[in-house]
């Protein structure tokens, strides 16, 4: 079974600083998709960024970038210039190899707190 | 475009009862997925519906079921509720085509408490 591991239960970052949230995954299939979601205290999951396993370049979306190291099976999220509104839970997720559906496997999440 | 809506937002039931949760996807989205989120188990996939057919199913007992209507609205049902069913139930829809086909758009969730 596919497995997503987020080893940082909680992280703190100073406002305006950059922070990296770790994510490793386990799959033997060459084709898969990796995602990051943000979940504020309100509960709603917000899509941040997507990386396909065959994508040659690391994905970027505004202040979010994904440091994709395929050989290490890691997909770390980098948030630049942190803002107070970035305080939330962050989840790494994977769509199973070969899946045409939306059956996602999620990590346990990292709680990020931005300090003013 | 309106986002994914879920009703009700909060629900309190007692053990043994059954419950039905509703999800209205973003207009034009045909894929609807359901997830259960608990502090102990995290986010777990329940099932996915596409064009009224269940396409994927997670590892949950048969007490959990769902369906999708022709307008893509989806319902999930939990029968014979147990205390462990207390959770945030999230629904997500996906366009499956176009530039945002890899995204799932989540609703605000229904928080179910079983007493």
């Amino acid at each position: 079974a596919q497995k997503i591991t987020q080893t940082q239960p909680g992280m703190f970052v100073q406002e305006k600083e950059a922070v990296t949230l770790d994510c490793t995954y386990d799959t033997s299939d060459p084709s898969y998709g990796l995602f990051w979601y943000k979940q504020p205290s309100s509960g709603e999951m917000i899509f941040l960024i997507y990386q396909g396993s065959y994508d040659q370049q690391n994905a970027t979306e505004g202040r979010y970038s994904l440091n994709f190291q395929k050989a290490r099976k890691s997909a770390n999220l980098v948030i630049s210039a942190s803002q107070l509104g970035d305080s939330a839970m962050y989840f790494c997720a994977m769509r199973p190899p070969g899946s045409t559906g939306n059956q996602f496997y999620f990590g346990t999440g990292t709680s990020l707190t931005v300090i003013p | 475009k309106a986002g994914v809506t879920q009703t009700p937002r909060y629900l309190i039931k007692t053990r043994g009862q059954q419950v039905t949760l509703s999800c209205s996807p973003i207009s034009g989205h045909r894929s609807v997925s359901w997830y259960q989120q608990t502090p102990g188990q995290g986010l777990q996939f329940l099932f996915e519906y596409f064009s009224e057919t269940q396409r994927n199913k997670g590892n949950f007992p048969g007490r959990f079921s769902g369906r999708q209507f022709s307008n893509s609205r989806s319902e999930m049902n939990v029968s014979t509720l147990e205390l462990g069913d207390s959770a945030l139930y999230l629904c997500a829809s996906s366009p499956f085509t176009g530039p945002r086909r890899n995204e799932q758009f989540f609703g605000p969730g229904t928080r179910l408490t079983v007493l």
Side-chain angles (χ1 to χ4, degrees):
Chain A
Q2 288 73 37
K3 186 177 177 182
I4 304 290
T5 303
Q6 294 180 254
T7 57
Q8 307 154 311
M11 290 281 286
F12 292 86
V13 64
Q14 203 76 35
E15 193 179 5
K16 299 181 185 178
E17 297 293 314
V19 62
T20 299
L21 306 183
D22 295 341
C23 172
T24 58
Y25 57 93
D26 183 22
T27 180
S28 57
D29 199 288
S31 176
Y32 49 88
L34 295 161
F35 302 75
W36 276 92
Y37 281 85
K38 171 185 177 182
Q39 187 178 40
S41 56
S42 60
E44 187 169 346
M45 299 282 283
I46 302 167
F47 167 82
L48 295 177
I49 198 165
Y50 163 79
Q51 179 85 43
S53 61
Y54 291 120
D55 293 343
Q56 295 297 314
Q57 293 186 325
N58 287 343
T60 60
E61 290 279 356
R63 294 186 300 110
Y64 304 106
S65 61
L66 202 151
N67 184 3
F68 182 46
Q69 298 188 45
K70 197 169 182 177
R72 293 185 175 185
K73 294 186 179 179
S74 75
N76 299 337
L77 177 70
V78 180
I79 305 174
S80 62
S82 296
Q83 304 172 355
L84 296 178
D86 293 335
S87 294
M89 284 291 292
Y90 289 79
F91 292 93
C92 179
M94 181 168 70
R95 183 162 59 208
S99 172
T100 56
N102 280 321
Q103 181 176 358
F104 280 40
Y105 295 101
F106 284 86
T108 52
T110 295
S111 176
L112 177 66
T113 302
V114 180
I115 304 168
Chain B
K1 265 188 180 179
V4 177
T5 58
Q6 291 186 247
T7 56
R9 292 292 312 278
Y10 302 91
L11 205 50
I12 299 175
K13 292 286 188 179
T14 56
R15 279 182 300 174
Q17 287 186 311
Q18 75 165 16
V19 67
T20 299
L21 311 182
S22 180
C23 171
S24 292
I26 293 173
S27 177
H29 289 192
R30 293 164 61 191
S31 167
V32 174
S33 300
W34 289 89
Y35 294 85
Q36 181 197 65
Q37 186 176 26
T38 60
Q41 298 298 317
L43 272 155
Q44 293 185 288
F45 171 79
L46 280 157
F47 30 64
E48 181 204 3
Y49 286 87
F50 184 81
S51 293
E52 301 179 65
T53 301
Q54 186 179 87
R55 179 157 62 178
N56 290 295
K57 189 177 190 303
N59 189 26
F60 277 81
R63 300 186 297 107
F64 292 82
S65 63
R67 59 178 176 169
Q68 187 180 32
F69 302 95
S70 58
N71 62 358
S72 293
R73 189 177 71 84
S74 176
E75 289 182 346
M76 67 162 282
N77 183 277
V78 188
S79 62
T80 319
L81 284 166
E82 301 177 1
L83 295 179
D85 297 333
S86 294
L88 179 66
Y89 289 89
L90 291 163
C91 166
S93 74
S94 172
F96 238 73
T97 57
R100 306 191 74 176
R101 62 185 179 280
N102 288 310
E103 296 183 36
Q104 283 197 102
F105 297 83
F106 282 80
T110 293
R111 187 164 295 281
L112 172 65
T113 302
V114 181
L115 302 176

